[in-house]
Amino acid sequence: MNVQEAKEQVCDVCHKMWQLGWVAANDGNVSARLDDGTFIVTPTGISKSFITEEKLIRIDDKMNIVEAVEMYRPSSELKMHMRCYEKRSDVKSVVHAHPPSATGFAVAHRSMDMYNLIEDVAVIGAVPLTPYGTPSTEEVPDAIEPYLENHDVMLLENHGALTMGSDIITAYYRMESLELWAKTTINAIILGGSYDISRANIDKLIDLRGYYKVSGRHPGYVKFPKRSDIPADR
């Protein structure tokens, strides 16, 4: 991916996230890996609605600034993006946001290991709830690292969501799919219950990934254990 293409797409994704209500104030961040091994990243302290190409920052793999307008600096939350790139050579973009329905699962300390929507079973698979980490520290990268081998989508406990992809649009689409999936599941529960597809059909859907040439990783069939630190009456 070249610099201009990356900047255009990062700006577009930032604006879409704000319009959809996935971020407020200075929330969220977006990054992309360029062909030369450097990265285009969003700056700290700016609403995604105000992001323009000249405000984006170019950094190296040590988060050193390669190119930036003097007043702009990368977000310290980009540490978790860099961990994704470090551990996954196939990842070319990472998106972090706070979509309300999916973040509701993270705040409720619930992973999304439902198998109730065809597209999400095939494309995303079960979404883990990663342990709590203090933003801007190494705690968050350390918390997500065990899940990077098999997951392209994660919930961050009491924080938000993280998605990655082989390009910027794929990473964004995964966040979009995650939020609609969470919203649909909540509506189903309100209406009386959310019901999984049969195990035989789950396996068929996962096998279709190859047919549809879906990039990235898939965990297969996973049911996550309940968090031991959640009170029994929750």
Side-chain angles (χ1 to χ4, degrees):
M1 184 179 300
N2 62 50
V3 176
Q4 186 57 38
E5 180 184 21
K7 286 184 174 182
E8 290 174 359
Q9 291 186 10
V10 167
C11 287
D12 194 26
V13 165
C14 286
H15 299 159
K16 282 180 168 63
M17 292 200 306
W18 180 79
Q19 289 165 350
L20 288 165
W22 297 353
V23 289
N26 306 326
D27 292 350
N29 23 75
V30 181
S31 66
R33 179 166 17 204
L34 302 178
D35 294 336
D36 65 359
T38 60
F39 303 83
I40 293 295
V41 303
T42 49
T44 189
I46 300 177
S47 167
K48 299 302 164 289
S49 64
F50 296 145
I51 292 292
T52 55
E53 291 180 22
E54 64 272 14
K55 294 174 183 174
L56 297 174
I57 300 165
R58 192 172 182 180
I59 61 172
D60 64 17
D61 60 359
K62 306 298 183 186
M63 291 189 64
N64 298 311
I65 294 175
V66 175
E67 179 184 338
V69 174
E70 184 176 352
M71 68 183 73
Y72 298 117
R73 292 291 179 269
S75 167
S76 55
E77 282 203 321
L78 288 165
K79 292 184 178 84
M80 63 181 168
H81 294 234
M82 303 313 291
R83 188 68 60 90
C84 297
Y85 295 122
E86 177 189 348
K87 299 298 179 181
R88 293 274 302 274
S89 60
D90 61 310
V91 169
K92 305 300 181 184
S93 181
V94 178
V95 173
H96 167 53
H98 304 162
S101 299
T103 301
F105 276 84
V107 171
H109 289 197
R110 294 179 180 271
S111 56
M112 290 177 59
D113 53 358
M114 309 85 65
Y115 293 85
N116 53 5
L117 277 177
I118 289 173
E119 291 82 358
D120 298 302
V121 170
V123 176
I124 296 176
V127 178
L129 175 68
T130 65
Y132 179 82
T134 304
S136 305
T137 71
E138 293 295 331
E139 292 176 13
V140 179
D142 290 345
I144 69 170
E145 184 171 335
Y147 301 92
L148 287 172
E149 182 176 356
N150 296 315
H151 297 272
D152 293 330
V153 181
M154 303 174 196
L155 296 174
L156 310 176
E157 185 177 292
N158 292 96
H159 188 171
L162 186 74
T163 61
M164 58 201 84
S166 56
D167 54 70
I168 298 168
I169 302 304
T170 298
Y172 166 75
Y173 279 169
R174 285 179 176 148
M175 187 70 73
E176 194 172 75
S177 295
L178 175 71
E179 177 62 1
L180 181 60
W181 179 17
K183 187 181 298 183
T184 301
T185 298
I186 293 168
N187 285 338
I189 292 169
I190 292 169
L191 290 168
S194 170
Y195 301 98
D196 283 357
I197 297 165
S198 71
R199 179 60 192 276
N201 284 320
I202 289 169
D203 291 338
K204 289 179 185 177
L205 289 168
I206 294 172
D207 288 343
L208 282 174
R209 286 173 58 85
Y211 177 80
Y212 288 112
K213 296 181 171 57
V214 179
S215 63
R217 308 287 174 84
H218 193 287
Y221 181 83
V222 177
K223 281 290 186 180
F224 298 109
K226 300 295 183 184
R227 284 289 177 84
S228 60
D229 58 339
I230 303 174
D233 60 350
R234 285 278 295 275

